[in-house]
Amino acid sequence: MPRARFAQIEAVARHRGLPNAAAVISAWIDRAIDEGEIPPALPGLTCQRLGDGFFVSINDTVLPTIPPNKARVLAAVLSAAGGESDPELSFEMVPGKPAVLDLGEHHLAVSRAGRSVRLIAKPKDGTESVLASVSPSFAAEMARQIREAFTGH
């Protein structure tokens, strides 16, 4: 994109009170989804219920299997990390403090890190690996898709 266009998008962001150009583009995509212009699924994100758990993958990274009773909580945490409120569960993301979910063999930590949301797997052996670093809008979309998989619609 030509630098002049990027400057215009930044001007739109300032005019609308948005933090940056990426927020303008996210709002534009959200509107296109709301109006049925494009499907809501994010490329590279898969959230589906499989038997006794939830399968979530981001691009080629597969999160540890999430039990159904934790999937709803994860959706609330991701909503909060994405700057949105969950329609059913109230959760507040504290800056600098990860929310950690016990998934049995793993803990899954979700935290805000600058302008991104980090998902970190912490297996019981004490190792730690960053599974994904996504935008807040991506985290909010993950939450929406987990809720859809949870309820079936």
Side-chain angles (χ1 to χ4, degrees), residues 2-81:
R3 180 74 190 135
R5 287 289 188 203
F6 190 74
Q8 288 176 314
I9 294 172
E10 288 176 329
V12 170
R14 284 190 302 276
H15 178 75
R16 293 182 182 175
L18 297 171
N20 53 40
V24 173
I25 294 168
S26 288
W28 172 62
I29 291 169
D30 289 344
R31 189 178 72 228
I33 290 168
D34 290 344
E35 293 174 359
E37 196 173 337
I38 61 172
L42 278 171
L45 174 64
T46 302
C47 298
Q48 60 188 23
R49 194 170 189 158
L50 293 175
D52 292 336
F54 277 84
F55 170 82
V56 177
S57 69
I58 303 167
N59 297 321
D60 294 327
T61 302
V62 178
L63 274 61
T65 302
I66 303 165
N69 63 334
K70 302 289 179 159
R72 202 58 199 92
V73 174
L74 177 59
V77 169
L78 289 169
S79 286

Side-chain angles (χ1 to χ4, degrees), residues 99-121:
V100 181
L101 283 83
D102 184 349
L103 304 178
E105 293 182 27
H106 292 80
H107 287 93
L108 181 64
V110 179
S111 64
R112 285 296 301 258
R115 293 184 178 177
S116 66
V117 176
R118 292 178 62 194
L119 291 95
I120 301 168

